[in-house]
Amino acid sequence: MAIQSQCLSRLAFAVAGVLFGASVSAQTLDVPAKKLLAPGTVSPQMQVLIDAPRRTGWDVLPATGEAWRKVADAAAVGTLKALPGLMQRMQVTVEKTTIDGVRAFIVTPAKIAPENRNRVLIHMHGGCYVLSPGEAGLPEAVMMSGMGGYKVISVDYRMPPEAYFPAALDDGVTVYKNTLKTVDAKNIGVFGASAGGALTLEMMLRAKALGLPLPGAIAPGTPMADVTKVGDTFYTNELVDNVLVSRDGFCDAGTKVYAAGHDLKDPLLSPIYGDLSGFPPTILTTGTRDLLLSNTVRVHRKLRQAGVEATLQVFEGQSHAHYLRDDSAPETKDAFAEITGFFNKHLAK
Amino acid sequence: MAIQSQCLSRLAFAVAGVLFGASVSAQTLDVPAKKLLAPGTVSPQMQVLIDAPRRTGWDVLPATGEAWRKVADAAAVGTLKALPGLMQRMQVTVEKTTIDGVRAFIVTPAKIAPENRNRVLIHMHGGCYVLSPGEAGLPEAVMMSGMGGYKVISVDYRMPPEAYFPAALDDGVTVYKNTLKTVDAKNIGVFGASAGGALTLEMMLRAKALGLPLPGAIAPGTPMADVTKVGDTFYTNELVDNVLVSRDGFCDAGTKVYAAGHDLKDPLLSPIYGDLSGFPPTILTTGTRDLLLSNTVRVHRKLRQAGVEATLQVFEGQSHAHYLRDDSAPETKDAFAEITGFFNKHLAK
């Protein structure tokens, strides 16, 4: 099916080839089987992540919101167990709240950096629109708050089976609009990885459509910016990325359940197809083994072509969102230092 | 041998793993064979490049400078045939000259942009230190001159069998020193791809060692920054990149002939191992299928960690240096627009 859809675009090109007078062959590139090990130049912590076996259950494909909730709760156990230690190391406190009816957590660092006193970051967690409910969505927010000295509002947006597209986006926008009542847009940053990266981009499209002022900067990490399986690394990094593993794996299944029949090419599900002009300064993060490397670099190119100040960082050997998996890894500190430095540079004070 | 050297680093990590208390397994990631087609989102011209068969003779490994010169002359025929048309489209003239004994070409655009009147770019061509002699090294210089409106000095540095390491670097530095006599360092940019990207970085290391002022900006494209076969995409993109194809292919053979027994880990052959602090603002270019994607992103991270203003652009689906192969491709114009924009921003007037 995947090859089939590529064949269709190949056919379209063959026609274009005739028009352009190009020499066209239908040949595919045959790549033999290979064995991979983590590169020796990354930290021991990152080697552990890179050499880990493929994610358990990557090819289990629940088809309903109810089934996904069970998977999400089971997957959350380990995260919830590790969370108190992470909060302690990052020296942050977490307060559960509700903002205009949307569940959220306020993450506050022991020390808010002086230049950050009037700044707020809004966090949209990842998890293919179906995973990491409640506190399980917090680790990235906790790291950003602790490493950057920021107050962070982490949105515990509705997910299946509680609600479906565009509920997650609606909840993010509700929190953004509420924040605008007390904080200038230019003092607000929005960030998140994977589905959270896509939601960050989708929020900008929605904010533009609503005529809202846009935030001062955004940091979409390895965004699920194209959920139609278009993107070269869906193929080249298939079974190389040990987190997402395959374009036909769990993450695709979760996204389809959230979309609930809605067109996956809608820019509010695949923001690469939206008009990215006027977007705030953007920093994008990915890794060389990331199944979404193409998603990420395509967003970067499209932002640059739209005249947006956009920065790309790509980490050696890392699969999808490895950069936020181990707060002790120097690569994690490096990635967050770049992102918080970017916010510090671009957000108003 | 490659797996063996990775196994050694894996073993070193296993020891570290014991120290760090990490759970260590010796398992490799088995990736099955796959078939690849160009993504449908790139231009027709780029699809032709991406879907081209692997480079003819990628696994032919000449072992002497004399043998390489024959290969280089044969490979140059097509380039020389295409050059007049390219020069015409780019509206540039080329003058052959000698600068302090070093062969070079002065490339002059029909219109030098007013802000570029006091600026000069120095070009170091690619070709694994053994390919693209004489006019065959010019296409990248011609495109940069024409698309950016710059005077470009393209260095026709000595290669085997005429001379060996560090002759290419010496010739680049000679031209840079000569240019400094009439142009302020901050008005000079240096660029090149592949071996030319490595030479650009090596020239900065040598200039620092000599106490010379550094140029205003540099643009190393997909640099051969680590010729010791360290880098994850040497493995993940093996036989995926249809230009370089393999870490054990022609480019490695050419580099070894140039090195002539010199330690390949010397920063003047593998600049990733040098001290990159104090480098000028740098823009790096690569593609998702590039065998040197890891080389490029590792240089980017290392520059950022050294506090250097460094920008990374990664193009969808492209193998090694595809971004400068077809001047009609929109991706080529996009890549050069970013690079000339970077020079315009950072070079003094």
Side-chain angles (χ1 to χ4, degrees):
Chain A
M1 155 121 182
I3 284 290
Q4 196 173 34
S5 76
Q6 285 223 326
C7 284
L8 284 175
S9 73
R10 196 68 187 69
L11 183 66
F13 165 60
V15 174
V18 171
L19 295 175
F20 283 83
S23 128
V24 173
S25 75
Q27 102 178 28
T28 56
L29 186 69
D30 282 302
V31 182
K34 54 183 78 173
K35 290 177 184 294
L36 298 175
L37 279 167
T41 56
V42 303
S43 71
Q45 299 96 311
M46 198 50 68
Q47 289 192 348
V48 169
L49 290 173
I50 296 174
D51 274 340
R54 295 186 183 107
R55 180 192 175 100
T56 307
W58 69 264
D59 51 357
V60 177
L61 313 176
T64 67
E66 290 73 14
W68 268 112
R69 182 67 203 215
K70 282 181 194 161
V71 172
D73 287 341
V77 172
T79 309
L80 296 178
K81 201 171 158 189
L83 188 60
L86 178 65
M87 285 171 55
Q88 195 169 36
R89 290 192 297 280
M90 294 294 128
Q91 300 187 54
V92 304
T93 54
V94 172
E95 177 202 347
K96 199 169 181 169
T97 186
T98 303
I99 298 171
D100 289 344
V102 174
R103 291 186 300 271
F105 299 95
I106 311 294
V107 187
T108 309
K111 276 187 235 167
I112 292 195
E115 66 272 23
N116 292 342
R117 275 200 198 121
N118 301 313
R119 291 166 166 172
V120 174
L121 302 185
I122 296 175
H123 173 237
M124 303 298 286
H125 70 78
C128 315
Y129 297 101
V130 288
L131 297 171
S132 301
E135 282 86 349
L138 281 173
E140 187 184 19
V142 166
M143 283 189 263
M144 190 73 81
S145 177
M147 296 194 206
Y150 281 102
K151 174 183 165 182
V152 176
I153 305 173
S154 185
V155 183
D156 181 21
Y157 53 79
R158 287 167 295 155
M159 297 194 293
E162 183 184 8
Y164 297 80
F165 173 86
L169 171 59
D170 288 345
D171 288 356
V173 172
T174 296
V175 169
Y176 180 60
K177 284 165 80 172
N178 178 282
T179 308
L180 283 175
K181 291 179 190 169
T182 53
V183 185
D184 190 88
K186 295 295 166 218
N187 295 41
I188 301 173
V190 182
F191 73 101
S194 195
L199 282 162
T200 299
L201 297 168
E202 294 157 14
M203 282 167 66
M204 299 308 108
L205 293 172
R206 176 71 71 81
K208 276 174 64 176
L210 294 174
L212 298 174
L214 296 186
I218 60 174
T222 178
M224 289 169 57
D226 188 336
V227 295
T228 72
K229 304 187 187 177
V230 170
D232 201 43
T233 56
F234 276 127
Y235 301 85
T236 57
N237 279 341
E238 181 182 21
L239 296 163
V240 170
D241 179 327
N242 62 3
V243 175
L244 292 180
V245 185
S246 165
R247 63 193 171 273
D248 299 315
F250 71 100
C251 204
D252 177 61
T255 304
K256 277 183 185 149
V257 165
Y258 169 69
H262 197 85
D263 180 6
L264 293 173
K265 212 174 172 176
D266 185 325
L268 298 183
L269 280 167
S270 288
I272 187 83
Y273 299 110
D275 171 12
L276 309 189
S277 63
F279 269 38
T282 303
I283 181 167
L284 295 147
T285 306
T286 181
T288 61
R289 291 195 189 188
D290 191 347
L291 199 70
L292 302 193
L293 171 62
S294 285
N295 266 243
T296 308
V297 306
R298 286 172 63 212
V299 169
H300 181 240
R301 294 306 327 139
K302 198 163 178 200
L303 285 167
R304 291 295 301 140
Q305 285 161 5
V308 175
E309 180 159 349
T311 293
L312 173 68
Q313 53 178 349
V314 182
F315 284 88
E316 167 72 337
Q318 294 188 18
S319 292
H320 186 62
H322 266 164
Y323 70 92
L324 48 75
R325 288 279 285 278
D326 183 342
D327 62 293
S328 79
E331 290 89 347
T332 306
K333 292 169 191 168
D334 192 14
F336 277 88
E338 287 281 353
I339 297 168
T340 57
F342 191 83
F343 279 135
N344 285 344
K345 178 177 173 187
H346 291 287
L347 295 186
K349 288 175 191 168
Chain B
M1 156 120 185
I3 284 289
Q4 195 175 34
S5 77
Q6 286 223 326
C7 284
L8 284 174
S9 74
R10 195 68 187 69
L11 183 66
F13 165 60
V15 174
V18 171
L19 294 175
F20 285 82
S23 129
V24 174
S25 76
Q27 104 178 25
T28 56
L29 186 69
D30 282 302
V31 181
K34 53 183 79 171
K35 288 176 184 296
L36 298 175
L37 279 168
T41 56
V42 303
S43 71
Q45 298 96 310
M46 198 50 68
Q47 289 191 350
V48 170
L49 289 173
I50 296 174
D51 274 340
R54 295 186 183 108
R55 179 194 175 100
T56 307
W58 69 264
D59 50 357
V60 177
L61 313 176
T64 66
E66 289 73 14
W68 267 113
R69 182 67 204 214
K70 283 181 195 162
V71 172
D73 287 341
V77 172
T79 309
L80 296 179
K81 201 171 157 189
L83 188 61
L86 177 65
M87 285 172 55
Q88 195 170 38
R89 292 192 296 280
M90 294 294 128
Q91 300 186 56
V92 304
T93 53
V94 173
E95 179 202 346
K96 199 168 181 169
T97 187
T98 303
I99 298 172
D100 289 344
V102 174
R103 291 185 300 271
F105 299 95
I106 311 295
V107 187
T108 310
K111 277 187 234 166
I112 291 194
E115 66 272 22
N116 292 342
R117 274 200 199 120
N118 301 313
R119 292 166 165 172
V120 174
L121 302 185
I122 296 174
H123 172 238
M124 303 297 286
H125 70 78
C128 315
Y129 296 101
V130 289
L131 297 171
S132 300
E135 282 86 348
L138 280 173
E140 187 184 20
V142 167
M143 284 188 262
M144 190 73 83
S145 176
M147 296 193 206
Y150 281 102
K151 175 184 166 182
V152 175
I153 304 172
S154 185
V155 183
D156 181 20
Y157 52 79
R158 287 166 295 155
M159 298 193 293
E162 183 184 9
Y164 296 80
F165 173 87
L169 170 60
D170 287 345
D171 288 356
V173 172
T174 296
V175 170
Y176 181 59
K177 285 166 81 171
N178 179 283
T179 308
L180 284 175
K181 291 179 190 170
T182 54
V183 185
D184 191 88
K186 295 296 166 217
N187 294 43
I188 301 173
V190 182
F191 72 101
S194 195
L199 282 162
T200 299
L201 298 168
E202 294 157 14
M203 281 167 67
M204 299 307 110
L205 293 173
R206 176 70 72 80
K208 278 174 62 175
L210 294 175
L212 298 174
L214 296 187
I218 60 173
T222 179
M224 289 169 56
D226 188 337
V227 295
T228 72
K229 304 188 189 179
V230 170
D232 201 43
T233 57
F234 276 127
Y235 301 85
T236 57
N237 279 342
E238 181 182 22
L239 296 164
V240 170
D241 179 326
N242 63 4
V243 175
L244 291 181
V245 185
S246 164
R247 64 192 171 275
D248 299 316
F250 71 100
C251 204
D252 177 61
T255 305
K256 277 183 186 149
V257 166
Y258 169 69
H262 197 84
D263 181 7
L264 293 173
K265 213 174 172 177
D266 185 324
L268 297 183
L269 280 167
S270 288
I272 188 84
Y273 299 110
D275 171 13
L276 309 189
S277 64
F279 268 39
T282 304
I283 182 166
L284 295 148
T285 306
T286 180
T288 61
R289 291 195 189 188
D290 191 346
L291 199 72
L292 302 194
L293 171 62
S294 285
N295 266 241
T296 309
V297 306
R298 286 170 65 210
V299 169
H300 182 240
R301 295 303 332 136
K302 198 162 179 201
L303 284 168
R304 291 296 301 139
Q305 286 160 4
V308 175
E309 179 158 350
T311 292
L312 174 68
Q313 53 178 349
V314 182
F315 284 88
E316 168 72 337
Q318 295 188 18
S319 291
H320 186 63
H322 267 165
Y323 70 92
L324 47 76
R325 287 280 285 278
D326 183 341
D327 61 293
S328 78
E331 291 89 346
T332 305
K333 293 169 190 168
D334 192 14
F336 277 89
E338 286 282 354
I339 296 168
T340 57
F342 190 84
F343 279 135
N344 285 343
K345 179 177 172 188
H346 290 287
L347 295 186
K349 290 175 190 170

mmCIF file of all heavy atoms in Angstrom, chain B residues 68-95:
data_model
loop_
_atom_site.group_PDB
_atom_site.id
_atom_site.type_symbol
_atom_site.label_atom_id
_atom_site.label_comp_id
_atom_site.label_asym_id
_atom_site.label_seq_id
_atom_site.Cartn_x
_atom_site.Cartn_y
_atom_site.Cartn_z
ATOM 1 N N TRP B 68 44.237 7.515 -10.143
ATOM 2 C CA TRP B 68 43.153 8.461 -9.869
ATOM 3 C C TRP B 68 43.074 9.554 -10.928
ATOM 4 O O TRP B 68 41.993 9.998 -11.291
ATOM 5 C CB TRP B 68 43.311 9.084 -8.468
ATOM 6 C CG TRP B 68 42.543 8.298 -7.452
ATOM 7 C CD1 TRP B 68 43.054 7.553 -6.430
ATOM 8 C CD2 TRP B 68 41.114 8.154 -7.394
ATOM 9 N NE1 TRP B 68 42.034 6.944 -5.735
ATOM 10 C CE2 TRP B 68 40.836 7.297 -6.306
ATOM 11 C CE3 TRP B 68 40.057 8.637 -8.151
ATOM 12 C CZ2 TRP B 68 39.532 6.934 -5.954
ATOM 13 C CZ3 TRP B 68 38.761 8.288 -7.814
ATOM 14 C CH2 TRP B 68 38.504 7.442 -6.722
ATOM 15 N N ARG B 69 44.224 9.999 -11.412
ATOM 16 C CA ARG B 69 44.198 11.068 -12.407
ATOM 17 C C ARG B 69 43.464 10.612 -13.670
ATOM 18 O O ARG B 69 42.708 11.389 -14.263
ATOM 19 C CB ARG B 69 45.627 11.499 -12.743
ATOM 20 C CG ARG B 69 45.713 12.642 -13.740
ATOM 21 C CD ARG B 69 45.160 13.946 -13.177
ATOM 22 N NE ARG B 69 44.731 14.866 -14.214
ATOM 23 C CZ ARG B 69 44.821 16.208 -14.142
ATOM 24 N NH1 ARG B 69 45.286 16.782 -13.057
ATOM 25 N NH2 ARG B 69 44.399 16.956 -15.125
ATOM 26 N N LYS B 70 43.647 9.342 -14.042
ATOM 27 C CA LYS B 70 42.919 8.823 -15.202
ATOM 28 C C LYS B 70 41.419 8.810 -14.951
ATOM 29 O O LYS B 70 40.624 9.182 -15.819
ATOM 30 C CB LYS B 70 43.414 7.405 -15.541
ATOM 31 C CG LYS B 70 44.745 7.407 -16.268
ATOM 32 C CD LYS B 70 45.209 5.995 -16.604
ATOM 33 C CE LYS B 70 46.689 6.005 -16.979
ATOM 34 N NZ LYS B 70 47.298 4.674 -16.898
ATOM 35 N N VAL B 71 41.033 8.371 -13.753
ATOM 36 C CA VAL B 71 39.610 8.359 -13.389
ATOM 37 C C VAL B 71 39.058 9.783 -13.401
ATOM 38 O O VAL B 71 37.967 10.051 -13.913
ATOM 39 C CB VAL B 71 39.418 7.716 -11.996
ATOM 40 C CG1 VAL B 71 37.976 7.868 -11.519
ATOM 41 C CG2 VAL B 71 39.820 6.249 -12.020
ATOM 42 N N ALA B 72 39.847 10.713 -12.858
ATOM 43 C CA ALA B 72 39.402 12.105 -12.767
ATOM 44 C C ALA B 72 39.212 12.709 -14.158
ATOM 45 O O ALA B 72 38.221 13.405 -14.423
ATOM 46 C CB ALA B 72 40.408 12.926 -11.961
ATOM 47 N N ASP B 73 40.137 12.431 -15.056
ATOM 48 C CA ASP B 73 40.024 12.976 -16.413
ATOM 49 C C ASP B 73 38.803 12.410 -17.131
ATOM 50 O O ASP B 73 38.090 13.139 -17.823
ATOM 51 C CB ASP B 73 41.303 12.681 -17.217
ATOM 52 C CG ASP B 73 42.464 13.554 -16.754
ATOM 53 O OD1 ASP B 73 42.190 14.588 -16.104
ATOM 54 O OD2 ASP B 73 43.629 13.197 -17.016
ATOM 55 N N ALA B 74 38.561 11.122 -16.954
ATOM 56 C CA ALA B 74 37.395 10.506 -17.596
ATOM 57 C C ALA B 74 36.107 11.087 -17.014
ATOM 58 O O ALA B 74 35.155 11.388 -17.749
ATOM 59 C CB ALA B 74 37.433 8.994 -17.394
ATOM 60 N N ALA B 75 36.084 11.278 -15.694
ATOM 61 C CA ALA B 75 34.877 11.801 -15.043
ATOM 62 C C ALA B 75 34.634 13.257 -15.417
ATOM 63 O O ALA B 75 33.502 13.745 -15.366
ATOM 64 C CB ALA B 75 34.987 11.643 -13.522
ATOM 65 N N ALA B 76 35.702 13.964 -15.780
ATOM 66 C CA ALA B 76 35.584 15.403 -16.059
ATOM 67 C C ALA B 76 34.921 15.688 -17.406
ATOM 68 O O ALA B 76 34.392 16.787 -17.614
ATOM 69 C CB ALA B 76 36.968 16.058 -16.004
ATOM 70 N N VAL B 77 34.938 14.713 -18.307
ATOM 71 C CA VAL B 77 34.459 14.957 -19.678
ATOM 72 C C VAL B 77 33.040 15.527 -19.693
ATOM 73 O O VAL B 77 32.769 16.552 -20.329
ATOM 74 C CB VAL B 77 34.547 13.658 -20.524
ATOM 75 C CG1 VAL B 77 33.872 13.863 -21.881
ATOM 76 C CG2 VAL B 77 36.003 13.239 -20.705
ATOM 77 N N GLY B 78 32.136 14.863 -18.965
ATOM 78 C CA GLY B 78 30.742 15.317 -18.940
ATOM 79 C C GLY B 78 30.597 16.699 -18.330
ATOM 80 O O GLY B 78 29.842 17.546 -18.829
ATOM 81 N N THR B 79 31.340 16.947 -17.266
ATOM 82 C CA THR B 79 31.271 18.248 -16.592
ATOM 83 C C THR B 79 31.747 19.358 -17.518
ATOM 84 O O THR B 79 31.127 20.424 -17.601
ATOM 85 C CB THR B 79 32.149 18.231 -15.313
ATOM 86 O OG1 THR B 79 31.804 17.088 -14.535
ATOM 87 C CG2 THR B 79 31.942 19.491 -14.490
ATOM 88 N N LEU B 80 32.846 19.113 -18.199
ATOM 89 C CA LEU B 80 33.401 20.135 -19.089
ATOM 90 C C LEU B 80 32.455 20.434 -20.252
ATOM 91 O O LEU B 80 32.350 21.572 -20.696
ATOM 92 C CB LEU B 80 34.765 19.681 -19.624
ATOM 93 C CG LEU B 80 35.847 19.515 -18.548
ATOM 94 C CD1 LEU B 80 37.157 19.032 -19.164
ATOM 95 C CD2 LEU B 80 36.073 20.842 -17.798
ATOM 96 N N LYS B 81 31.733 19.397 -20.691
ATOM 97 C CA LYS B 81 30.790 19.569 -21.790
ATOM 98 C C LYS B 81 29.616 20.453 -21.350
ATOM 99 O O LYS B 81 29.102 21.267 -22.126
ATOM 100 C CB LYS B 81 30.289 18.188 -22.220
ATOM 101 C CG LYS B 81 29.718 18.144 -23.616
ATOM 102 C CD LYS B 81 29.464 16.684 -24.018
ATOM 103 C CE LYS B 81 28.427 16.605 -25.114
ATOM 104 N NZ LYS B 81 28.000 15.223 -25.375
ATOM 105 N N ALA B 82 29.199 20.294 -20.096
ATOM 106 C CA ALA B 82 28.033 21.030 -19.588
ATOM 107 C C ALA B 82 28.392 22.440 -19.124
ATOM 108 O O ALA B 82 27.517 23.292 -18.964
ATOM 109 C CB ALA B 82 27.392 20.250 -18.437
ATOM 110 N N LEU B 83 29.683 22.693 -18.912
ATOM 111 C CA LEU B 83 30.093 23.957 -18.289
ATOM 112 C C LEU B 83 29.726 25.211 -19.084
ATOM 113 O O LEU B 83 29.198 26.173 -18.497
ATOM 114 C CB LEU B 83 31.602 23.919 -17.984
ATOM 115 C CG LEU B 83 32.160 25.070 -17.156
ATOM 116 C CD1 LEU B 83 31.515 25.127 -15.774
ATOM 117 C CD2 LEU B 83 33.678 24.943 -17.021
ATOM 118 N N PRO B 84 29.969 25.249 -20.411
ATOM 119 C CA PRO B 84 29.633 26.487 -21.144
ATOM 120 C C PRO B 84 28.157 26.865 -21.007
ATOM 121 O O PRO B 84 27.835 28.045 -20.829
ATOM 122 C CB PRO B 84 29.997 26.147 -22.593
ATOM 123 C CG PRO B 84 31.027 25.066 -22.486
ATOM 124 C CD PRO B 84 30.631 24.258 -21.289
ATOM 125 N N GLY B 85 27.270 25.868 -21.084
ATOM 126 C CA GLY B 85 25.846 26.150 -20.922
ATOM 127 C C GLY B 85 25.536 26.704 -19.540
ATOM 128 O O GLY B 85 24.764 27.660 -19.391
ATOM 129 N N LEU B 86 26.146 26.118 -18.533
ATOM 130 C CA LEU B 86 25.927 26.594 -17.161
ATOM 131 C C LEU B 86 26.423 28.033 -17.003
ATOM 132 O O LEU B 86 25.736 28.885 -16.420
ATOM 133 C CB LEU B 86 26.646 25.669 -16.172
ATOM 134 C CG LEU B 86 26.562 26.073 -14.694
ATOM 135 C CD1 LEU B 86 25.125 25.993 -14.176
ATOM 136 C CD2 LEU B 86 27.478 25.204 -13.824
ATOM 137 N N MET B 87 27.612 28.310 -17.555
ATOM 138 C CA MET B 87 28.160 29.668 -17.459
ATOM 139 C C MET B 87 27.243 30.684 -18.139
ATOM 140 O O MET B 87 27.055 31.796 -17.641
ATOM 141 C CB MET B 87 29.551 29.721 -18.101
ATOM 142 C CG MET B 87 30.637 29.091 -17.250
ATOM 143 S SD MET B 87 32.231 28.941 -18.129
ATOM 144 C CE MET B 87 32.484 30.641 -18.641
ATOM 145 N N GLN B 88 26.660 30.241 -19.275
ATOM 146 C CA GLN B 88 25.760 31.133 -19.997
ATOM 147 C C GLN B 88 24.489 31.406 -19.181
ATOM 148 O O GLN B 88 24.069 32.551 -19.031
ATOM 149 C CB GLN B 88 25.404 30.500 -21.334
ATOM 150 C CG GLN B 88 24.778 31.462 -22.318
ATOM 151 C CD GLN B 88 24.687 30.827 -23.710
ATOM 152 O OE1 GLN B 88 24.411 29.631 -23.839
ATOM 153 N NE2 GLN B 88 24.929 31.611 -24.739
ATOM 154 N N ARG B 89 23.910 30.340 -18.629
ATOM 155 C CA ARG B 89 22.688 30.522 -17.822
ATOM 156 C C ARG B 89 22.963 31.381 -16.589
ATOM 157 O O ARG B 89 22.126 32.168 -16.163
ATOM 158 C CB ARG B 89 22.127 29.159 -17.407
ATOM 159 C CG ARG B 89 21.564 28.336 -18.555
ATOM 160 C CD ARG B 89 20.769 27.143 -18.066
ATOM 161 N NE ARG B 89 21.547 26.160 -17.320
ATOM 162 C CZ ARG B 89 22.333 25.223 -17.867
ATOM 163 N NH1 ARG B 89 22.455 25.156 -19.174
ATOM 164 N NH2 ARG B 89 22.986 24.358 -17.109
ATOM 165 N N MET B 90 24.133 31.212 -16.010
ATOM 166 C CA MET B 90 24.470 31.964 -14.794
ATOM 167 C C MET B 90 25.035 33.349 -15.120
ATOM 168 O O MET B 90 25.276 34.149 -14.215
ATOM 169 C CB MET B 90 25.490 31.181 -13.953
ATOM 170 C CG MET B 90 24.964 29.877 -13.384
ATOM 171 S SD MET B 90 23.649 30.113 -12.160
ATOM 172 C CE MET B 90 22.393 29.021 -12.806
ATOM 173 N N GLN B 91 25.272 33.596 -16.401
ATOM 174 C CA GLN B 91 25.811 34.881 -16.849
ATOM 175 C C GLN B 91 27.091 35.268 -16.122
ATOM 176 O O GLN B 91 27.170 36.337 -15.502
ATOM 177 C CB GLN B 91 24.760 35.989 -16.697
ATOM 178 C CG GLN B 91 23.495 35.721 -17.520
ATOM 179 C CD GLN B 91 22.540 36.899 -17.466
ATOM 180 O OE1 GLN B 91 22.911 38.019 -17.798
ATOM 181 N NE2 GLN B 91 21.326 36.636 -17.050
ATOM 182 N N VAL B 92 28.072 34.381 -16.185
ATOM 183 C CA VAL B 92 29.369 34.661 -15.559
ATOM 184 C C VAL B 92 30.475 34.476 -16.588
ATOM 185 O O VAL B 92 30.310 33.761 -17.573
ATOM 186 C CB VAL B 92 29.662 33.726 -14.366
ATOM 187 C CG1 VAL B 92 28.549 33.803 -13.324
ATOM 188 C CG2 VAL B 92 29.874 32.282 -14.820
ATOM 189 N N THR B 93 31.593 35.122 -16.352
ATOM 190 C CA THR B 93 32.799 34.870 -17.133
ATOM 191 C C THR B 93 33.848 34.254 -16.212
ATOM 192 O O THR B 93 33.821 34.473 -14.993
ATOM 193 C CB THR B 93 33.359 36.166 -17.738
ATOM 194 O OG1 THR B 93 33.527 37.124 -16.681
ATOM 195 C CG2 THR B 93 32.401 36.748 -18.766
ATOM 196 N N VAL B 94 34.758 33.500 -16.814
ATOM 197 C CA VAL B 94 35.782 32.803 -16.039
ATOM 198 C C VAL B 94 37.152 33.143 -16.599
ATOM 199 O O VAL B 94 37.366 33.074 -17.812
ATOM 200 C CB VAL B 94 35.571 31.275 -16.081
ATOM 201 C CG1 VAL B 94 36.749 30.554 -15.423
ATOM 202 C CG2 VAL B 94 34.268 30.884 -15.393
ATOM 203 N N GLU B 95 38.051 33.522 -15.725
ATOM 204 C CA GLU B 95 39.418 33.853 -16.132
ATOM 205 C C GLU B 95 40.389 32.963 -15.375
ATOM 206 O O GLU B 95 40.325 32.852 -14.142
ATOM 207 C CB GLU B 95 39.678 35.336 -15.791
ATOM 208 C CG GLU B 95 41.049 35.846 -16.125
ATOM 209 C CD GLU B 95 41.389 37.095 -15.278
ATOM 210 O OE1 GLU B 95 40.452 37.676 -14.671
ATOM 211 O OE2 GLU B 95 42.576 37.452 -15.211
#
